[in-house]
Each structure stands twice: as structure tokens, then as C-alpha cells.
Amino acid sequence: MTLTPQWLDELRSRITLSSIIGRTIKITRAGREYKACCPFHNEKTPSFTINDEKGFYHCFGCSAHGDAIRWMTDQRGLSFMDAVKELAAEAGMDVPAPDPRAAKKAEEQASLRDVTQAAADWFSQQLGSSNGAPAREYLTKRGISDATRKAFGFGLAPDSRSALKDALRKFPTAMLVEAGMLIAVEDKEPYDRFRGRLMIPIRDARGRVIAFGGRILGDGEPKYLNSPDTPLFDKGRTLYNLDKASPASRQTNRVIVVEGYMDVIALAEAGIADAVAPLGTALTENQIGMLWRMVPVPLLCFDGDAAGQKAAMRAATRALPLLRPGFSLAFATLPAGQDPDDIVRARGAAGFAELLDDAQPLVERLWAHEVAASPLATPEERAALKTRLLAHADAIEDADVRHHYREAFRERLDTLFARKAPERSARVPWAPQPQRGNRRFAPDPRLQPPADETRTIGQAGIGGPYAAALLGGLLRHPAALCRHEEALARLAIADSADAELLGRMLDIAIGQEGLDTEGLLAILEPMKVYNRATTLLRADGMHFSFNRPLDKQDGADAAREAALRDLDEYIGVLVTQPEIRARLAEATADFQRTMDDAGLERQQKLRALDEDLTRRLAALSEDSHQV
């Protein structure tokens, strides 16, 4: 039957959620909401809230969340349609008449589920028979108990091309083919898909058998064989063990993703019930969405070999466009050559939990992978690293998350490639130095530290009026952002709020052509840096041409071009001067140690360059006063 979103919304609006939930658990009014001890996990202090106005419940302890229909399915155990029918009867609504095509499809799916359930029952009988002794012995060697075997519904497919077909002859052959149980080849009789394999049922979120995985017993390929996609089973939209892991995750507030169903079963044997696995494919976007409906940061725990780590990176890159605030992935790396079964056998559940505690955030996994991907000895190789990292960040669709990834990568790049700062003595030695040869080196005033008025540009970052003037100029002339992106990204700004504003403007400019002040402010408005931006545009006392508003009059274009030239030069000074200062400090320290002519000459040249840059800054400000 066809249930439109509009009809379901009307149903929800006619139901008082608190009255539905209050029939099952004790609830207490708390202002405009109700509170209760959560029925989905054990707690003594109420963390379960019910909001009738919004029509949902939420537990702050285990993250259980849903509406009236979800309550009936999750807490009462009803099917979706049974829940809808019961709520509709209470709300006085008629359930829409069945749609013939939808009814036919539902009937066909129900019939296919009959096939897969019958196959699961028959496989289980075969495992328990005398023919199943070798398979039972294999399970015992793997450390899988009888209780676990029954819980997961293990079975056996005999090594026969027609045994299952004969056992399920009450179903039409075409239906067995459609359910994936037989293989149909042109001009040949259909035959059993699974032969000589240990069988593992694959269930949907409601615990119904929809497909199978089969592990070869003995030699042969492929080692693992899954059902093909069918009307019941889409491997890209199914997670193995979701039916058991979903309720378990509400208790643990986590979900673990491992490579295969045998890993899931090994963890379950060790008492770890909140594990799932993809089914022969890399983790898909749909599966990531399913995981995020359980917990905001699923833990991916793939094998430590090359294939496992490659699968982890595929999942990482596939998740990037989907990231949003609060939702990500974390990665626990197993020792090379080991899988979860090896870990729990050697170290138990506690040892496995220790590995999970050391899981890397997604940003760290991307960083570590790219740093290890190639040498970083030359400027070109380092630039390639930056390009790869920023490409990962740019794949993120959410603007806030993308901005923070770019900032995180820039910080790590700065740390990785930063020059070691020269050691500085606490004071400059002014006493006459020992005689060397025929020359006595007297104190040189050029060895003094920079004057107070120029200290705001230094290794601690650009601060005070210099940073304000820069940001104000970029806000008035956004074209300079793209023109100087690399240089601006290298700047260290002392104030964290100003640094964040610059980073945001750079991120915006990269994706916006022809950006003007009004457009830039419109994009910044929802962000917390917006107030700082508007303050800088209104600020008085910044005496640079690029900080003044441009009147719409004759000569405005010339004034704009002059302001942009001044801003270009200003950015060049801000980028260059900290580097000159660092080299000057290093040369000064070297000269104090060696006291040779070459060292003095180098120090004097750097000092002259620094003074010239300071004069250029002053000239830019003076020129602005004269305009």
C-alpha cells in the first residue's frame, strides 16, 4: 500500500506521543516536556525526554531517538505496517487502500523471504546431521561455541549441484533463481549456487533472512561467496549483523565496523556484540548513513595488512563529502597480519578494547596516509603533499567542516616543515670582545633587537594594527585573496579570532569567482567571525589606502587600482619580514659565536633588508595620508 509522507505526517500530528509512551513506562512532566528512565538501556537517573510539540523522544544516555512509529517498532517490536495500523486506529484515520502494484511487489518479496528462510532452516539441519561433522569440527577449531553457532544460524551447503534445489522443490525454480539460491545458465539446468560451504545467513535490520554468505570448506576459490543482489538483498545497503548490533550499540554507545562476517562472529564469541561488517564491498555512502543513525562516530577496525588499510582509506575518502558537524569516522589499526579473531584470542576482549581506545580521528588517518605516501625531501614533493591534503578537505561539502579540515592540515604542514628556531641568549653581550688578529670587534648597535614599534611583526605572528589593517584591506578588496592565497596561508596571525577570519575568507574566495565585499559579508554572516569582520570595516585609525571606503565617483577605479597595488605590497612585506627577522636572528647568533667578517657582512645585509621593509610599511601609511 502507498503511504505518502503527507499521510504519515498527519498521523503523527494526531497522536500524543507522551500518552503512547506513558502506557509502557512511568513518565513525569518537566516543563513543556516529559522525562523518564530510558527503556532502551539501564539507568537510575532519567535522561529520556518526550517532546509532544515536536513529536519525538530522545535519550541523552544512549542516543535512542524516534517518533511514535519508531517507538512502536523499536520498543513494542511491531512491524512498520502493524505500528501504522494501530496508531491509525487510535487517531481515527483510515489506512490508504492497497496499491495493486505495490501489493504485488510486497507479495513477491514475502514469497522470496519464505525461500530464504526455508533455505536457512535446511542448511541448519544439514550442519546438525552426520554430513555436518567436518563443518562442526571447523567451527570448534575456530573457537565458535554451539550457542554462537545457533545465534548466528550457521548451516551447511552439501557439495552437490542439486541438493538444495531438491529440498526446496515446493518453490518454483524461477523463484529459487530470483532469491539467489540457484544459478541459471543459458541452455543448462539451474543448479545450486552454494556447494561445499559453511553457510551464514545474512539478515535485514528486522532479523529476517535475506541472503547468505558461504565459506569454502577445504581448498577452493573463492574463499567466501555471497548471494547476488536480489529484490531482497542489496549488498551496498546492507550491513551484516545490524539486527543484533543496533540494540547492542545503544548499551555501549559505539558501533565497530570490521571487514567480514567471520570477524563479527569472533567478536561476538568474545562478548563484543556491537560489531557489523560490509558484505564484500568497500563501505558505501548508504552504509555510512546507516552507521551514523546508530552513533555519530563509528569505529572502523580493518585488518593491519595492505588490503585492510586500503579498504580503510577507501572508506575515509568516501565519507568526506558526507561529513557534517559532529559526525565522522574513527580508525583502529590492527597489527600487521592480524585480524580481530587473532586479537581476541591472544588478548581477550579487554585487549581488543585497548586498540579501540587508540583509534585515530579521520583527519589524523588522512594526514598519516598522505605523509607516508611519498618522499618529502624536495619543495615539489612537499607541495604535492599540500595539494593532496587540501584536495581531501575540498571534497567536504559542509562549509564549516571543510574550513576546519583545511586549518588542521595547514597547522600540521606548518609544524612538519617549520625551520627550527635559533637558540637565543637572554641578553646581547655589549662588552668589548676578545681581540682576533689585528682587529678588535667593538659593540655594534645593529645587533640590538628590533624597535618596539616594529615588534608586532615577528615569529609569534602578526598582531595589533598590522593584522587589523590586513584583514580590513582584504574585506574591502576580496580579489587579493585569490591572488595571494599561498602567501596569505603562510602568515601567522597572533590573535586566534583574526586568524580564523583570514582562514574563512581564504576558503570562501577559493570557491567564489568575482567576489566583492558585499558577497563576502553575506557568506560570513552566519559565522561567528562576522562581527569581527564588520568591526574591521568600521574601524578608524588604519591609515592605509586599502582601508578607506571608495566613493562612487570619477576616479574611483584609479583609486581602487592604487589601493590594490598598496595592498599587494603590504602583503609582500608581511610575508617577507618575519622570514627576514628569523634569518637575522640566526645570523646575529652566528656572528656572536664566530666574530668573523663574513658573519658580520651577512648580519648587516639582513639588518638592512629588515629596516628597508619597515620603511616600506611606513611609506605605505604616509602615502595614504597624502591622498
Side-chain angles (χ1 to χ4, degrees):
M1 60 187 61
T2 302
L3 300 178
T4 65
Q6 294 81 5
W7 189 91
L8 291 171
D9 287 341
E10 178 65 16
L11 174 63
R12 296 183 184 101
S13 70
R14 294 193 187 188
I15 295 294
T16 303
L17 183 59
S18 59
S19 66
I20 299 293
I21 296 177
R23 297 170 190 168
T24 307
I25 63 174
K26 181 180 178 181
I27 63 176
T28 304
R29 180 176 286 278
R32 300 170 68 179
E33 297 182 335
Y34 290 85
K35 284 192 173 183
C37 288
C38 180
F40 297 105
H41 78 287
N42 297 321
E43 64 175 8
K44 296 181 180 179
T45 303
S47 62
F48 185 85
T49 63
I50 306 160
N51 189 312
D52 283 331
E53 292 181 7
K54 298 180 179 178
F56 67 73
Y57 60 84
H58 181 80
C59 178
F60 293 92
C62 70
S63 299
H65 183 94
D67 59 9
I69 299 173
R70 183 71 178 266
W71 172 264
M72 303 290 276
T73 58
D74 285 8
Q75 207 280 330
R76 294 271 306 278
L78 300 180
S79 69
F80 176 81
M81 280 310 305
D82 288 341
V84 167
K85 290 176 181 177
E86 186 170 322
L87 291 172
E90 182 164 337
M93 295 176 63
D94 293 326
V95 178
D99 177 77
R101 288 172 298 178
K104 184 175 184 297
K105 184 177 180 181
E107 182 180 352
E108 289 173 352
Q109 290 187 344
S111 299
L112 291 180
R113 277 192 285 270
D114 291 338
V115 172
T116 52
Q117 185 59 56
D121 293 340
W122 187 76
F123 287 143
S124 179
Q125 292 170 6
Q126 296 304 302
L127 181 61
S129 70
S130 58
N131 292 334
R136 295 195 300 271
E137 183 179 352
Y138 168 79
L139 291 173
T140 301
K141 288 180 180 178
R142 289 290 299 256
I144 297 173
S145 65
D146 288 344
T148 300
R149 187 188 89 190
K150 292 175 182 176
F152 284 90
F154 276 96
L156 172 67
D159 192 6
S160 165
R161 293 175 63 90
S162 61
L164 178 67
K165 180 182 176 183
D166 293 340
L168 301 186
R169 57 181 174 271
K170 67 177 181 179
F171 296 103
T173 298
M175 187 178 290
L176 295 175
V177 172
E178 188 176 14
M181 306 314 303
L182 301 184
I183 296 175
V185 181
E186 189 175 354
D187 298 331
K188 290 186 179 180
E189 187 71 16
Y191 57 94
D192 290 3
R193 178 178 300 276
F194 299 101
R195 305 179 303 279
R197 291 180 179 273
L198 184 69
M199 298 302 293
I200 304 159
I202 297 168
R203 295 180 168 87
D204 63 13
R206 294 167 59 184
R208 299 173 299 186
V209 178
I210 57 174
F212 293 91
R215 193 210 187 277
I216 194 78
L217 292 171
D219 298 329
E221 291 293 338
K223 185 177 180 181
Y224 290 97
L225 177 66
N226 290 335
S227 292
D229 282 357
T230 70
L232 294 180
F233 175 58
D234 180 341
K235 59 179 174 289
R237 296 175 180 269
T238 306
L239 286 168
Y240 179 74
N241 198 44
L242 182 65
D243 58 312
K244 296 181 177 65
S246 184
S249 71
R250 297 195 189 105
Q251 303 288 333
T252 61
N253 199 31
R254 74 178 183 193
V255 62
I256 306 163
V257 185
V258 291
E259 284 193 59
Y261 31 72
M262 293 305 292
D263 295 324
V264 170
I265 294 164
L267 292 177
E269 185 68 46
I272 300 169
D274 51 359
V276 298
L279 291 155
T281 63
L283 207 59
T284 66
E285 291 86 350
N286 282 304
Q287 289 168 333
I288 293 169
M290 295 164 69
L291 293 168
W292 280 344
R293 285 195 285 274
M294 290 189 281
V295 296
V297 185
L299 292 165
L300 274 60
C301 186
F302 292 167
D303 294 356
D305 57 14
Q309 294 313 294
K310 186 176 181 180
M313 273 306 299
R314 282 200 301 268
T317 54
R318 190 160 284 177
L320 286 173
L322 311 176
L323 296 180
R324 61 186 192 271
F327 289 83
S328 187
L329 301 176
F331 297 81
T333 302
L334 300 179
Q338 294 191 343
D339 57 25
D341 191 16
D342 298 322
I343 301 298
V344 294
R345 281 173 178 267
R347 300 162 58 181
F352 187 76
E354 289 176 2
L355 288 175
L356 299 181
D357 290 340
D358 293 333
Q360 287 181 312
L362 175 56
V363 65
E364 290 291 348
R365 172 51 61 103
L366 293 169
W367 168 260
H369 173 80
E370 296 299 351
V371 167
S374 64
L376 301 173
T378 68
E380 295 82 0
E381 290 166 346
R382 296 180 180 188
L385 170 63
K386 180 180 178 182
T387 299
R388 295 195 303 272
L389 290 170
L390 294 184
H392 287 315
D394 290 343
I396 301 170
E397 293 184 2
D398 185 278
D400 280 342
V401 178
R402 180 172 64 246
H403 164 75
H404 287 292
Y405 264 73
R406 290 179 68 91
E407 287 298 301
F409 288 145
R410 283 172 177 151
E411 290 171 3
R412 285 165 173 78
L413 287 166
D414 289 344
T415 301
L416 181 63
F417 298 135
R419 288 174 45 149
K420 184 177 179 182
E423 295 183 2
R424 288 172 170 74
S425 57
R427 61 182 180 84
V428 178
W430 292 106
Q433 301 299 311
Q435 184 172 349
R436 298 194 180 193
N438 295 323
R439 179 174 179 178
R440 180 180 296 274
F441 286 83
D444 192 324
R446 287 167 296 189
L447 298 183
Q448 298 180 42
D452 290 341
E453 65 271 15
T454 62
R455 284 180 182 167
T456 53
I457 303 178
Q459 290 187 332
I462 300 165
Y466 287 105
L470 170 67
L471 295 171
L474 293 172
L475 286 164
R476 293 193 184 280
H477 305 281
L481 287 163
C482 285
R483 188 155 47 185
H484 299 287
E485 189 225 344
E486 290 293 329
L488 291 169
R490 288 161 49 198
L491 282 179
I493 295 183
D495 183 81
S496 60
D498 286 349
E500 183 177 0
L501 174 57
L502 176 59
R504 293 287 182 143
M505 289 195 294
L506 285 170
D507 288 344
I508 292 167
I510 291 170
Q512 301 283 335
E513 293 184 6
L515 189 66
D516 60 11
T517 300
E518 185 177 349
L520 179 57
L521 288 175
I523 298 172
L524 289 173
E525 186 172 5
M527 305 178 188
K528 64 181 182 180
V529 297
Y530 175 73
N531 288 339
R532 177 58 175 161
T534 56
T535 299
L536 288 170
L537 282 174
R538 293 193 303 266
D540 296 326
M542 292 190 291
H543 305 297
F544 294 95
S545 62
F546 46 81
N547 290 134
R548 292 199 317 275
L550 295 172
D551 297 329
K552 294 182 178 180
Q553 58 185 14
D554 293 340
D557 290 341
R560 181 180 293 104
E561 289 300 319
L564 274 172
R565 285 196 300 272
D566 285 354
L567 182 56
D568 290 343
E569 185 173 2
Y570 186 76
I571 292 170
V573 173
L574 294 188
V575 171
T576 305
Q577 192 154 30
E579 298 173 357
I580 295 297
R581 290 261 169 88
R583 292 166 58 192
L584 174 60
E586 184 179 349
T588 300
D590 289 344
F591 175 56
Q592 290 171 358
R593 186 175 61 255
T594 62
M595 288 298 177
D596 59 10
D597 291 341
L600 178 61
E601 182 180 359
R602 177 169 174 261
Q603 191 272 344
Q604 287 175 336
K605 286 182 179 179
L606 290 170
R607 183 72 184 187
L609 283 173
D610 181 45
E611 291 173 349
D612 180 60
L613 291 170
T614 301
R615 284 192 296 270
R616 287 169 64 187
L617 281 179
L620 287 171
S621 180
E622 290 169 3
D623 290 345
S624 300
H625 284 301
Q626 295 169 7
V627 174

Short mmCIF file of all heavy atoms in Angstrom, two decimals, residues 465-477 536-550 563 566-567 570 624:
data_model
loop_
_atom_site.label_atom_id
_atom_site.label_comp_id
_atom_site.label_asym_id
_atom_site.label_seq_id
_atom_site.Cartn_x
_atom_site.Cartn_y
_atom_site.Cartn_z
N PRO A 465 47.78 46.42 15.06
CA PRO A 465 47.24 47.17 13.92
C PRO A 465 47.62 46.58 12.57
O PRO A 465 46.89 46.77 11.59
CB PRO A 465 47.86 48.56 14.10
CG PRO A 465 49.08 48.35 14.94
CD PRO A 465 48.73 47.22 15.86
N TYR A 466 48.76 45.88 12.50
CA TYR A 466 49.16 45.30 11.22
C TYR A 466 48.15 44.25 10.76
O TYR A 466 47.73 44.22 9.60
CB TYR A 466 50.55 44.68 11.31
CG TYR A 466 51.66 45.70 11.37
CD1 TYR A 466 52.32 45.97 12.57
CD2 TYR A 466 52.04 46.40 10.25
CE1 TYR A 466 53.34 46.91 12.63
CE2 TYR A 466 53.06 47.34 10.30
CZ TYR A 466 53.70 47.59 11.49
OH TYR A 466 54.70 48.53 11.55
N ALA A 467 47.75 43.35 11.67
CA ALA A 467 46.77 42.31 11.31
C ALA A 467 45.42 42.94 10.99
O ALA A 467 44.74 42.55 10.03
CB ALA A 467 46.63 41.31 12.45
N ALA A 468 45.01 43.94 11.77
CA ALA A 468 43.73 44.60 11.53
C ALA A 468 43.71 45.28 10.17
O ALA A 468 42.72 45.20 9.43
CB ALA A 468 43.45 45.61 12.64
N ALA A 469 44.81 45.95 9.82
CA ALA A 469 44.88 46.61 8.53
C ALA A 469 44.81 45.60 7.39
O ALA A 469 44.15 45.82 6.37
CB ALA A 469 46.17 47.43 8.44
N LEU A 470 45.51 44.49 7.54
CA LEU A 470 45.49 43.45 6.51
C LEU A 470 44.07 42.93 6.30
O LEU A 470 43.58 42.86 5.17
CB LEU A 470 46.42 42.30 6.90
CG LEU A 470 46.31 41.04 6.03
CD1 LEU A 470 46.80 41.31 4.63
CD2 LEU A 470 47.07 39.88 6.66
N LEU A 471 43.41 42.53 7.39
CA LEU A 471 42.08 41.94 7.27
C LEU A 471 41.08 42.96 6.73
O LEU A 471 40.22 42.63 5.91
CB LEU A 471 41.62 41.40 8.64
CG LEU A 471 42.45 40.23 9.18
CD1 LEU A 471 42.06 39.92 10.60
CD2 LEU A 471 42.27 39.00 8.31
N GLY A 472 41.18 44.20 7.21
CA GLY A 472 40.30 45.23 6.69
C GLY A 472 40.49 45.45 5.20
O GLY A 472 39.53 45.62 4.44
N GLY A 473 41.75 45.42 4.75
CA GLY A 473 42.02 45.58 3.32
C GLY A 473 41.48 44.43 2.50
O GLY A 473 40.94 44.63 1.41
N LEU A 474 41.62 43.21 3.00
CA LEU A 474 41.11 42.05 2.28
C LEU A 474 39.58 42.07 2.21
O LEU A 474 38.99 41.63 1.22
CB LEU A 474 41.60 40.76 2.93
CG LEU A 474 43.10 40.51 2.84
CD1 LEU A 474 43.49 39.31 3.70
CD2 LEU A 474 43.53 40.26 1.39
N LEU A 475 38.94 42.55 3.27
CA LEU A 475 37.48 42.65 3.25
C LEU A 475 37.02 43.66 2.20
O LEU A 475 36.00 43.46 1.54
CB LEU A 475 36.97 43.06 4.64
CG LEU A 475 37.01 41.96 5.71
CD1 LEU A 475 36.87 42.55 7.11
CD2 LEU A 475 35.89 40.94 5.47
N ARG A 476 37.76 44.76 2.04
CA ARG A 476 37.38 45.77 1.05
C ARG A 476 37.80 45.37 -0.36
O ARG A 476 37.20 45.82 -1.35
CB ARG A 476 38.00 47.12 1.41
CG ARG A 476 37.44 47.71 2.69
CD ARG A 476 37.83 49.17 2.84
NE ARG A 476 37.37 49.69 4.12
CZ ARG A 476 36.13 50.09 4.38
NH1 ARG A 476 35.23 50.01 3.40
NH2 ARG A 476 35.79 50.55 5.56
N HIS A 477 38.81 44.52 -0.46
CA HIS A 477 39.33 44.13 -1.78
C HIS A 477 39.50 42.60 -1.84
O HIS A 477 40.62 42.07 -1.84
CB HIS A 477 40.67 44.83 -2.04
CG HIS A 477 40.60 46.32 -1.92
ND1 HIS A 477 40.11 47.12 -2.92
CD2 HIS A 477 40.94 47.15 -0.88
CE1 HIS A 477 40.16 48.39 -2.53
NE2 HIS A 477 40.65 48.43 -1.29
N LEU A 536 36.03 45.56 11.72
CA LEU A 536 37.22 45.98 10.99
C LEU A 536 36.85 46.94 9.86
O LEU A 536 37.60 47.88 9.56
CB LEU A 536 37.95 44.77 10.42
CG LEU A 536 38.68 43.90 11.45
CD1 LEU A 536 39.16 42.60 10.81
CD2 LEU A 536 39.86 44.66 12.04
N LEU A 537 35.71 46.72 9.24
CA LEU A 537 35.30 47.62 8.16
C LEU A 537 34.93 49.01 8.69
O LEU A 537 35.07 50.01 7.98
CB LEU A 537 34.11 47.02 7.40
CG LEU A 537 34.44 45.90 6.41
CD1 LEU A 537 33.18 45.30 5.84
CD2 LEU A 537 35.34 46.40 5.29
N ARG A 538 34.46 49.07 9.93
CA ARG A 538 34.07 50.36 10.51
C ARG A 538 35.21 51.05 11.24
O ARG A 538 35.09 52.20 11.65
CB ARG A 538 32.92 50.16 11.51
CG ARG A 538 31.61 49.71 10.87
CD ARG A 538 30.47 49.84 11.87
NE ARG A 538 30.71 49.09 13.08
CZ ARG A 538 30.27 47.86 13.28
NH1 ARG A 538 29.57 47.24 12.34
NH2 ARG A 538 30.52 47.22 14.42
N ALA A 539 36.34 50.33 11.45
CA ALA A 539 37.40 50.84 12.32
C ALA A 539 38.05 52.09 11.75
O ALA A 539 38.31 52.19 10.55
CB ALA A 539 38.45 49.76 12.53
N ASP A 540 38.31 53.06 12.62
CA ASP A 540 39.08 54.25 12.27
C ASP A 540 40.53 54.04 12.70
O ASP A 540 40.84 53.16 13.49
CB ASP A 540 38.52 55.48 12.99
CG ASP A 540 37.10 55.79 12.52
OD1 ASP A 540 36.82 55.56 11.33
OD2 ASP A 540 36.30 56.26 13.35
N GLY A 541 41.39 54.85 12.22
CA GLY A 541 42.78 54.82 12.68
C GLY A 541 43.68 53.91 11.89
O GLY A 541 44.84 53.76 12.23
N MET A 542 43.17 53.28 10.84
CA MET A 542 44.02 52.46 9.97
C MET A 542 44.31 53.28 8.73
O MET A 542 43.44 53.48 7.88
CB MET A 542 43.32 51.14 9.63
CG MET A 542 43.16 50.22 10.82
SD MET A 542 42.61 48.55 10.39
CE MET A 542 40.95 48.86 9.85
N HIS A 543 45.53 53.80 8.65
CA HIS A 543 45.86 54.84 7.67
C HIS A 543 46.52 54.27 6.41
O HIS A 543 47.57 54.72 6.00
CB HIS A 543 46.75 55.90 8.31
CG HIS A 543 46.15 56.48 9.56
ND1 HIS A 543 44.98 57.19 9.55
CD2 HIS A 543 46.56 56.44 10.85
CE1 HIS A 543 44.70 57.59 10.79
NE2 HIS A 543 45.63 57.13 11.59
N PHE A 544 45.91 53.26 5.82
CA PHE A 544 46.39 52.72 4.57
C PHE A 544 45.32 52.94 3.51
O PHE A 544 44.11 52.93 3.81
CB PHE A 544 46.70 51.22 4.68
CG PHE A 544 47.85 50.91 5.60
CD1 PHE A 544 47.63 50.57 6.93
CD2 PHE A 544 49.16 50.96 5.15
CE1 PHE A 544 48.68 50.29 7.78
CE2 PHE A 544 50.22 50.67 5.99
CZ PHE A 544 49.98 50.33 7.31
N SER A 545 45.75 53.12 2.30
CA SER A 545 44.79 53.42 1.23
C SER A 545 43.77 52.30 1.07
O SER A 545 42.61 52.55 0.74
CB SER A 545 45.53 53.64 -0.09
OG SER A 545 46.22 52.45 -0.47
N PHE A 546 44.18 51.07 1.29
CA PHE A 546 43.28 49.94 1.08
C PHE A 546 42.29 49.75 2.22
O PHE A 546 41.45 48.85 2.18
CB PHE A 546 44.07 48.64 0.84
CG PHE A 546 45.21 48.42 1.81
CD1 PHE A 546 44.99 47.91 3.08
CD2 PHE A 546 46.52 48.73 1.44
CE1 PHE A 546 46.04 47.70 3.95
CE2 PHE A 546 47.57 48.52 2.31
CZ PHE A 546 47.34 48.01 3.58
N ASN A 547 42.41 50.57 3.28
CA ASN A 547 41.45 50.50 4.38
C ASN A 547 40.35 51.56 4.28
O ASN A 547 39.44 51.59 5.12
CB ASN A 547 42.15 50.66 5.73
CG ASN A 547 43.02 49.48 6.09
OD1 ASN A 547 44.15 49.63 6.52
ND2 ASN A 547 42.49 48.27 5.91
N ARG A 548 40.45 52.44 3.28
CA ARG A 548 39.46 53.50 3.18
C ARG A 548 38.34 53.09 2.24
O ARG A 548 38.58 52.45 1.20
CB ARG A 548 40.10 54.79 2.64
CG ARG A 548 41.10 55.43 3.61
CD ARG A 548 41.32 56.90 3.24
NE ARG A 548 41.47 57.08 1.80
CZ ARG A 548 42.62 56.93 1.15
NH1 ARG A 548 43.72 56.60 1.81
NH2 ARG A 548 42.67 57.11 -0.15
N PRO A 549 37.08 53.43 2.57
CA PRO A 549 35.98 53.15 1.63
C PRO A 549 36.17 53.94 0.35
O PRO A 549 36.70 55.06 0.36
CB PRO A 549 34.74 53.60 2.40
CG PRO A 549 35.23 54.54 3.44
CD PRO A 549 36.61 54.11 3.79
N LEU A 550 35.74 53.37 -0.77
CA LEU A 550 35.89 54.01 -2.08
C LEU A 550 34.56 54.65 -2.46
O LEU A 550 33.52 54.00 -2.50
CB LEU A 550 36.29 52.98 -3.14
CG LEU A 550 37.68 52.35 -2.95
CD1 LEU A 550 37.87 51.21 -3.95
CD2 LEU A 550 38.76 53.39 -3.11
N ALA A 563 44.87 51.30 -4.48
CA ALA A 563 44.71 50.61 -3.20
C ALA A 563 45.13 49.15 -3.30
O ALA A 563 45.78 48.61 -2.41
CB ALA A 563 43.27 50.73 -2.72
N ASP A 566 48.87 48.93 -3.35
CA ASP A 566 49.39 49.09 -1.99
C ASP A 566 49.16 47.82 -1.16
O ASP A 566 50.03 47.40 -0.39
CB ASP A 566 48.72 50.28 -1.30
CG ASP A 566 49.23 51.62 -1.82
OD1 ASP A 566 50.19 51.61 -2.62
OD2 ASP A 566 48.67 52.66 -1.43
N LEU A 567 47.99 47.23 -1.32
CA LEU A 567 47.70 46.01 -0.57
C LEU A 567 48.62 44.88 -0.99
O LEU A 567 49.09 44.09 -0.15
CB LEU A 567 46.22 45.62 -0.77
CG LEU A 567 45.73 44.38 -0.02
CD1 LEU A 567 45.97 44.50 1.48
CD2 LEU A 567 44.25 44.12 -0.30
N TYR A 570 51.85 45.55 0.66
CA TYR A 570 51.70 45.33 2.11
C TYR A 570 51.76 43.84 2.44
O TYR A 570 52.46 43.42 3.38
CB TYR A 570 50.37 45.93 2.55
CG TYR A 570 50.12 45.90 4.04
CD1 TYR A 570 50.76 46.79 4.90
CD2 TYR A 570 49.20 45.02 4.59
CE1 TYR A 570 50.52 46.78 6.26
CE2 TYR A 570 48.94 45.00 5.95
CZ TYR A 570 49.60 45.90 6.78
OH TYR A 570 49.35 45.89 8.13
N SER A 624 49.13 57.12 2.22
CA SER A 624 47.69 57.14 2.43
C SER A 624 47.27 58.48 3.02
O SER A 624 46.20 59.01 2.70
CB SER A 624 47.28 56.00 3.37
OG SER A 624 47.62 54.77 2.79
#
